[in-house]
Amino acid sequence: MIPDQIHIRVASADDVPALWQLFSSILPKDSASIHENTDEFTTILSGLVKNPTVFIYVATVLNNIIGVILASIKKKKLVFGSERIGVIEWLYLSESYRGEALSKKLVNKVLIQFRLNKIDFAEARLYNDVDKALWQNLGFSQHMLTLRKDIS
């Protein structure tokens, strides 16, 4: 059950500094280039907040951001043509607020936007096995598996 003091709303340009704090607090400390480029990151984030094909919702308690979901509409190239899909790029909740109820509310906000934009499929980016269990509990199933190798 979600406490009454938690509110979910569309992120605004005013939220960018707090979102940067949230992002930077969970990035690995060895991500030096990201931590050193605060201005670049906040500029990118400011652009995303204004982009009509990007949906960012924040969960707040007493005007403090405790969670965020970032999703976008992408054109995915296929061997024979392309399709527009909704991609949930990032979902984060402060540890003390984690649980399916709030995650589900945030996910549903972007799914509504996808439907309004006539998107038939939503994909979620996974970063670990814990994420996989959460997304499966929210009704997502494995579609494809991508493996990556650093070749630099």
Side-chain angles (χ1 to χ4, degrees), residues 55-112:
F55 310 103
I56 305 173
Y57 287 90
V58 294
T60 63
V61 172
L62 301 173
N63 293 322
N64 294 312
I65 295 174
I66 53 112
V68 61
I69 189 166
L70 187 150
S72 62
I73 296 173
K74 304 256 188 211
K75 190 169 190 176
K76 189 174 187 177
K77 294 199 184 270
L78 305 171
V79 175
F80 301 106
S82 63
E83 68 178 347
R84 286 175 5 117
I85 60 168
V87 179
I88 300 172
E89 307 278 355
W90 201 58
L91 171 64
Y92 176 79
L93 294 173
S94 296
E95 211 167 304
S96 58
Y97 293 95
R98 291 184 184 163
E100 286 182 39
L102 186 52
S103 297
K104 186 173 184 175
K105 280 194 175 272
L106 286 166
V107 169
N108 283 338
K109 290 288 189 182
V110 296
L111 293 181
I112 289 168

Side-chain angles (χ1 to χ4, degrees), residues 20-21 24 33-44:
W20 164 245
Q21 291 291 66
S24 64
S33 63
I34 294 171
H35 291 285
E36 292 168 2
N37 294 313
T38 302
D39 291 341
E40 181 181 350
F41 185 87
T42 55
T43 299
I44 291 168

